[in-house]
Amino acid sequence: MKWTLVFLASLLPFLHETSYEAEVKGCDAQSILLESQGERFEATLFNIGYRQTCALLEEADEIRFEIDDAVTLQEPLPIYLFADGVMVQVTLLEKEKAYVEVHNPNYRYEDQMEMAQGTRSVMAAESRTDGKKG
């Protein structure tokens, strides 16, 4: 087990709950190719099903990512991704381009993601009741 962890750490030299600058090297519907700390690796957005991520990344001046404690350090690496300081997962949830896959209060940014997903539900309910006279 110890050698497995050492081996994985040599493949991806990243630590949990640490923020890293990255450069987007490629993006498609299934994954994002990032380069950080001299390593190029495939990543996915942690804990959401999503689409239309690439446009957000192309427009960003700064890309950063973090790794949740619950994630195994292997490729594709599930990450929290930030474009110009804003979490990509939250942006996608607010724009109804994503959904939360697992509801786990132990995940680092679970509250923000739940709020972003919940906000759109509240907004949709309000827009259905607008125009109705009581």
Side-chain angles (χ1 to χ4, degrees):
M1 176 72 172
K2 183 177 177 182
W3 288 109
T4 303
L5 292 175
V6 170
F7 178 70
L8 287 174
S10 69
L11 291 177
L12 294 171
F14 306 114
L15 301 173
H16 292 100
E17 295 186 22
T18 301
S19 183
Y20 296 96
E21 288 188 27
E23 186 176 336
V24 177
K25 295 297 186 177
C27 184
D28 63 30
Q30 286 77 36
S31 68
I32 304 158
L33 185 61
L34 296 177
E35 187 170 304
S36 182
Q37 306 290 309
E39 297 291 326
R40 191 175 283 211
F41 61 97
E42 190 175 336
T44 60
L45 298 179
F46 180 62
N47 199 31
I48 65 169
Y50 60 93
R51 22 179 197 133
Q52 300 180 352
T53 304
C54 299
L56 287 172
L57 301 179
E58 289 169 3
E59 297 169 3
D61 293 323
E62 180 189 56
I63 302 293
R64 298 185 68 76
F65 70 93
E66 295 179 19
I67 304 167
D68 196 277
D69 283 340
V71 170
T72 302
L73 299 177
Q74 62 187 20
E75 286 190 78
L77 183 62
I79 59 173
Y80 295 113
L81 191 61
F82 298 84
D84 294 331
V86 178
M87 188 188 306
V88 171
Q89 281 95 323
V90 168
T91 301
L92 293 172
L93 288 164
E94 289 174 343
K95 292 182 176 186
E96 298 187 26
K97 306 276 186 215
Y99 58 91
V100 174
E101 290 183 326
V102 177
H103 301 278
N104 184 336
N106 295 322
Y107 291 164
R108 185 169 191 181
Y109 293 107
E110 178 71 13
D111 291 343
Q112 291 93 322
M113 291 170 56
E114 291 288 339
M115 284 180 55
Q117 183 167 278
T119 300
R120 75 171 190 225
S121 299
V122 170
M123 291 170 57
E126 287 175 357
S127 69
R128 285 193 300 269
T129 59
D130 287 349
K132 291 185 179 179
K133 306 263 182 195

